[in-house]
Amino acid sequence: MAIITFLSDFGESDHYAAAVKARILSVNSSIQIIDISHQIEPCDIAHGAYVLKSVFRDFPKGTVHLVAINSAGQQGDKYIAIKLEGHYFIGTDNGLFGLISDTMAEGQVDINVNNLATTFPAKEVFAAAAAKLASGTHISDIGKPLDQFKKMLGRHLKANKSLIAGHVIRVDHYGNLITNIDKPTFDILSAQKTYNITFSRENSRRINESVNSVEAGDIFIIFNERKLLEIGINQGNASELLGLGYDSPVMINFE
């Protein structure tokens, strides 16, 4: 069965998400539409990219991912479709797609072939293109070839033999602080060394196996399912209680 995932900053109180789904189903009523989230902060490209990057590979290759985040974009932004890692992505060329993978795209096209001026591109442009891709149309048949698409630069990890310098890249629904410090890098640099993790005014020499390894109200530090270092408070909000948020520094010093 053809699958289209749907990620947007539309929220749940208006008709926008339903209108896009209705347009998809009017093209092909057998398509399965799976909502990733419609609670992305308005126009928050970094938030949307984090969520999409975290989940798109869990879907079968060939899945079409419709992304309507800051879909109006800036003046001159194109509406595009990209084939990347065997998946298809449709949305506005606002830099988001460049944040989800370092792999070279297998194809990229401008899907607004009729130069349609619209205040609702997710419905008027993205939905039909997504439905066609999910129904088997080749990407080259739904738009005009593009030489490139916009790529924003995310925060890069700095690491050497004595230090890993990272940042918080996402504060999740629970107030947990997810960083860009990855377990493979940590494992290599921490071999046969002691370490000290510092954040805000706190420090720790221990990484926990799970959230419930600590008592309620205590700080935990784990590597999550994406193998990223995560800091939280068991049954509490780490962002609020520690005064940390997006882009806050987190350091690991090796001795």
Side-chain angles (χ1 to χ4, degrees), residues 85-97:
E85 295 189 30
H87 293 250
Y88 297 94
F89 301 88
I90 289 178
T92 301
D93 188 16
N94 55 20
L96 186 151
F97 295 130

Side-chain angles (χ1 to χ4, degrees), residues 181-195:
I181 298 174
D182 62 280
K183 190 174 188 299
T185 299
F186 173 81
D187 286 345
I188 292 170
L189 295 177
S190 65
Q192 299 180 340
K193 296 179 182 178
T194 59
Y195 58 86

Side-chain angles (χ1 to χ4, degrees), residues 6-242:
F6 191 8
L7 177 68
S8 82
D9 56 6
F10 291 159
E12 301 287 355
S13 61
D14 297 296
H15 69 286
Y16 305 128
V20 175
K21 294 178 186 180
R23 180 59 61 88
I24 292 170
L25 295 174
S26 71
V27 176
N28 184 344
S29 61
S30 68
I31 291 173
Q32 182 180 11
I33 305 170
I34 298 177
D35 295 300
I36 294 177
S37 174
H38 300 298
Q39 300 293 346
I40 303 300
E41 293 297 321
C43 300
D44 191 337
I45 290 172
H47 182 190
Y50 173 82
V51 171
L52 185 60
K53 183 177 181 178
S54 297
V55 76
F56 83 82
R57 296 179 184 90
D58 293 331
F59 289 93
K61 288 190 175 182
T63 296
V64 179
H65 305 276
L66 192 160
V67 181
I69 297 168
N70 188 28
S71 52
Q74 302 297 318
Q75 187 172 8
D77 284 352
K78 298 180 183 299
Y79 305 140
I80 62 174
I82 300 168
K83 186 177 183 183
L84 186 65
E85 295 189 30
H87 293 250
Y88 297 94
F89 301 88
I90 289 178
T92 301
D93 188 16
N94 55 20
L96 186 151
F97 295 130
L99 293 171
I100 64 172
S101 174
D102 294 327
T103 304
M104 184 74 69
E106 302 157 52
Q108 53 211 27
V109 296
D110 178 353
I111 59 175
N112 192 14
V113 291
N114 296 318
N115 295 316
L116 179 67
T118 175
T119 60
F120 198 175
K123 176 185 176 183
E124 303 298 337
V125 181
F126 303 169
K132 289 176 181 177
L133 281 176
S135 301
T137 302
H138 195 275
I139 188 171
S140 62
D141 293 329
I142 67 166
K144 299 174 291 186
L146 277 176
D147 292 332
Q148 59 185 5
F149 59 94
K150 292 182 181 179
K151 294 189 177 183
M152 301 178 70
L153 295 177
R155 275 288 193 179
H156 287 287
L157 192 68
K158 296 180 180 178
N160 56 46
K161 292 181 180 180
S162 61
L163 172 71
I164 297 177
H167 292 82
V168 175
I169 58 172
R170 174 68 186 144
V171 178
D172 74 6
H173 174 71
Y174 299 97
N176 298 332
L177 306 161
I178 301 167
T179 77
N180 61 346
I181 298 174
D182 62 280
K183 190 174 188 299
T185 299
F186 173 81
D187 286 345
I188 292 170
L189 295 177
S190 65
Q192 299 180 340
K193 296 179 182 178
T194 59
Y195 58 86
N196 186 35
I197 305 169
T198 59
F199 47 95
S200 186
R201 298 176 182 176
E202 304 289 335
N203 66 84
S204 176
R205 294 181 176 273
R206 181 182 180 185
I207 295 177
N208 307 109
E209 292 184 1
S210 64
V211 172
N212 56 19
S213 296
V214 304
E215 298 294 328
D218 288 344
I219 294 172
F220 65 82
I221 304 173
I222 61 173
F223 280 106
N224 63 22
E225 83 287 349
R226 291 190 60 207
K227 300 187 185 302
L228 296 177
L229 191 77
E230 180 174 330
I231 301 166
I233 294 178
N234 191 2
Q235 300 181 35
N237 188 307
S239 179
E240 293 179 358
L241 294 174
L242 297 175

